[in-house]
Amino acid sequence: MAAITAAVVAIAAVILGWITIEIACKPCLEKGREVIDRSLDPNYDPDSPRLAAAGQPLLDPATSSASPVTKVI
């Protein structure tokens, strides 16, 4: 009987620990799950023009460090 009680307590502790981690790290876990879902989606195309049409450029030319190469003498 003591073995069953110990097993039940251990399982309950694992379940409560899992719930605690899920609640404490919810924002991080949600972002990670969204990324995983998107990467596993066969219809997702990272080069799709839909992403460019979202209105936000991938690089801001005013703050971008990708400036033309200049020759320094």
Side-chain angles (χ1 to χ4, degrees):
M1 185 69 179
I4 294 173
T5 304
V8 169
V9 169
I11 291 171
V14 168
I15 291 171
L16 288 175
W18 184 272
I19 292 171
T20 302
I21 291 172
E22 287 282 335
I23 292 171
C25 302
K26 187 174 182 174
C28 181
L29 291 172
E30 285 179 350
K31 289 179 185 177
R33 287 179 181 137
E34 288 174 7
V35 170
I36 291 171
D37 289 343
R38 186 175 53 202
S39 69
L40 295 176
D41 183 12
N43 297 322
Y44 173 71
D45 181 17
D47 298 326
S48 173
R50 281 187 307 154
L51 297 175
Q56 185 175 4
L58 297 176
L59 290 175
D60 185 12
T63 60
S64 176
S65 63
S67 61
V69 178
T70 58
K71 185 176 181 180
V72 178
I73 300 177

